[in-house]
Amino acid sequence: MSTDIVSSDDILPGAFRAESAESAGSAPAADASFDPDAIVVTGIGAVLPTGRGPEALWTAWCEARTALAPYRDPYVRTQRITHFGHVPADLQQAGRDSVPHKLRKFGTAFTFNAVLASEDAMRQAGDSWQTIPEERRGLYVAQDDSTELSAAAFHKALAQARTDTSPQVGADLTRVVAEAFGNAATFNPFTVIRALNNNTLALVSIAQRFRGDCAAFVQDAGAALGALQRAAFSLRRGDCDTALVVGAGSYNEPLKLAAQYRAGHLTAGGRGTASLRSFDAERDGTVLAEGAVALVLERAGDAAARGARPLVTVAGAALRPAVDSGVGPAALAESARGLMAAHGMTPDTLGAVLADGKGTVRHDAAEAELLRALLKDSGVPVSSVRPVTGTLGAAGPLAELALAPSLFATGELPPIAHLTTPPDDGTDFVTGSARKRRIDSVLSLHSSFNGFAGALLAKRPHLA
């Protein structure tokens, strides 16, 4: 399935707004290859460790300014998890404030972030987008396997019960369970929604009034690719007139952190906030993170009628079992090559590759082999934003789509932060300073901890 995705003009970086200033007074020149049935993104929202919005992410990447920090949590004590990509506390509060008070007991910290990202994306899509009937709005959500029903939630509830001075004082099991679900006064079974993997879908649909076609996908980057594919499919079938795609989650849950530590995936943190060293010879693991990204999608013809300016065309996505499932890097390279061939491209015509670059010894070795097999000394530059954001899970692919407008507008590919000793395999990893180059297409690569890998092909858009 192919998907064409663009973003609205009011979220473009300054360089692109200046470049396209003539559009304020007159319509852009028509492009004979414009496809009114292509799928376009007309709004982007992001709540990430780098801050709020895609421009905050772009700036941090350009400056090689990591958003990773020493791990902190009021209910988790550990010396094993050294660093994490925390969403800033003030932005977490803004996410919570974006949800109506009566709905907060049904949500979690990361779904509050998703609501805020969705709100930003919808606002950038324009006021006329709001006239679309609620039952014609599709919602397609990618969520990590994260829930509020965690060890930390019960720890917090038990601590509150023990220090309670009310007449009902005591660590009564019913009260602890009710508190863990965020409703200490009386246990409401409906709040069990906080323990479900479609919590983001539920809360966004209620808070933002989506009553149309919907679907929820779970686990890591593959979920976001699945959500994008389903949204495009539903729009083309006419199941909805607009679609919101949201990727959200958090690895900040004790059992998940412990599982990743025991699997040997996490860095020992010996280089502080610069410990996530994608592809570097001294890499020793990844840094986990949290965040949410939302995209508003619609058909290109509908967007043009509203005056929304196309920004990025995502030609297609591929998702398949990966190295952890016994599929070798060469086979994954062939899958990416097939994706490009389906859209009339070859590896040497790419403008840039955005690698996953998790930073683990095993994942990066496999991805370096994949890149070597795919690019074959083509000279196409390769970068990664992972050392800046950490491993985002379900929000990862959507975050890279949010970066594509700036790549096309500026003609610069920022370097891989902290990469000093890249693999000596002929692949052109960007280090030190940004690579200046006209970029008309980007291939982004993604892998998950659950055995799947994916590729997403984005291109400079055609204009109506």
Side-chain angles (χ1 to χ4, degrees):
M1 171 183 296
S2 64
T3 313
D4 292 317
I5 298 184
V6 300
S7 147
S8 62
D9 190 44
D10 59 349
I11 62 171
L12 306 189
F16 191 88
R17 281 196 293 268
E19 183 179 276
S20 307
E22 74 278 6
S23 63
S26 61
D31 189 324
S33 58
F34 175 76
D35 178 8
D37 293 324
I39 307 303
V40 299
V41 172
T42 53
I44 299 177
V47 177
L48 296 168
T50 50
R52 185 174 181 177
E55 289 192 4
L57 176 60
W58 171 253
T59 299
W61 189 22
C62 289
E63 297 175 355
R65 176 168 42 83
T66 179
L68 310 180
Y71 177 76
R72 63 182 186 275
D73 187 275
Y75 298 100
V76 179
R77 299 291 183 269
T78 176
Q79 295 180 343
R80 307 294 187 183
I81 314 300
T82 62
H83 292 79
F84 194 82
H86 294 283
V87 169
D90 59 342
L91 193 50
Q92 289 275 21
Q93 185 60 47
R96 182 176 179 83
D97 292 343
S98 71
V99 178
H101 189 272
K102 65 180 180 180
L103 296 179
R104 293 177 190 172
K105 64 184 178 182
F106 304 124
T108 68
F110 67 85
T111 56
F112 297 154
N113 293 337
V115 172
L116 181 60
S118 300
E119 182 179 285
D120 287 350
M122 293 165 63
R123 181 172 56 252
Q124 291 174 349
D127 292 340
S128 60
W129 182 86
Q130 300 288 349
T131 64
I132 298 171
E134 295 176 14
E135 62 273 14
R136 296 297 299 168
R137 301 179 184 179
L139 178 59
Y140 309 94
V141 169
Q143 180 176 312
D144 294 342
D145 53 346
S146 313
T147 72
E148 183 70 7
L149 186 59
S150 65
F154 279 99
H155 182 179
K156 177 181 177 181
L158 185 60
Q160 290 179 341
R162 285 172 171 168
T163 59
D164 193 353
T165 58
S166 70
Q168 293 79 29
V169 65
D172 175 79
L173 180 60
T174 301
R175 294 191 67 235
V176 171
V177 172
E179 184 70 54
F181 278 101
N183 192 10
T186 176
F187 181 67
N188 180 349
F190 186 59
T191 57
V192 75
I193 198 171
R194 296 180 72 179
L196 301 179
N197 288 126
N198 64 355
N199 179 263
T200 303
L201 175 70
L203 194 65
V204 172
S205 66
I206 297 171
Q208 305 291 7
R209 304 190 312 278
F210 281 77
R211 298 170 55 198
D213 186 55
C214 65
F217 298 80
V218 179
Q219 292 188 344
D220 289 346
L225 297 178
L228 281 169
Q229 290 176 329
R230 171 61 189 273
F233 177 77
S234 296
L235 283 165
R236 289 192 172 111
R237 273 175 49 98
D239 295 334
C240 57
D241 294 327
T242 189
L244 183 70
V245 177
V246 185
S250 175
Y251 281 103
N252 190 16
E253 196 283 317
L255 297 180
K256 294 175 66 176
L257 292 171
Q260 295 298 333
Y261 174 79
R262 289 170 181 166
H265 292 155
L266 305 186
T267 175
R271 292 178 178 263
T273 57
S275 291
L276 202 170
R277 308 180 69 82
S278 299
F279 300 108
D280 195 80
E282 296 185 5
R283 69 189 185 278
D284 69 342
T286 195
V287 175
L288 302 174
E290 62 190 0
V293 179
L295 307 173
V296 172
L297 281 70
E298 56 191 306
R299 288 177 290 270
D302 296 337
R306 295 196 306 106
R309 183 183 180 87
L311 183 58
V312 179
T313 299
V314 177
L319 181 65
R320 61 171 298 171
V323 175
D324 289 341
S325 297
V327 177
L332 296 177
E334 190 59 35
S335 177
R337 190 177 293 110
L339 172 63
M340 288 183 285
H343 297 279
M345 296 184 63
T346 58
D348 58 359
T349 62
L350 282 172
V353 172
L354 297 187
D356 191 29
K358 275 186 167 55
T360 74
V361 173
R362 183 185 182 199
H363 287 92
D364 278 15
E367 189 171 19
E369 186 178 341
L370 185 163
L371 290 166
R372 184 166 56 249
L374 175 64
L375 301 179
K376 294 183 177 178
D377 298 317
S378 64
V380 176
V382 176
S383 189
S384 175
V385 72
R386 200 65 57 232
V388 172
T389 64
T391 294
L392 289 170
L398 304 189
E400 295 192 359
L401 282 182
L403 288 168
S406 296
L407 289 171
F408 298 145
T410 64
E412 291 189 355
L413 180 63
I416 303 175
H418 321 313
L419 177 56
T420 58
T421 311
D424 184 17
D425 59 5
T427 300
D428 185 13
F429 291 98
V430 180
T431 63
S433 59
R435 184 71 54 81
K436 294 187 180 297
R437 166 189 180 97
R438 180 178 175 86
I439 300 175
D440 290 325
S441 58
V442 175
L443 180 73
S444 63
L445 302 175
H446 305 277
S447 64
S448 68
F449 291 122
N450 60 358
F452 285 88
L456 197 57
L457 181 61
K459 301 170 67 176
R460 189 182 291 270
H462 301 298
L463 303 179

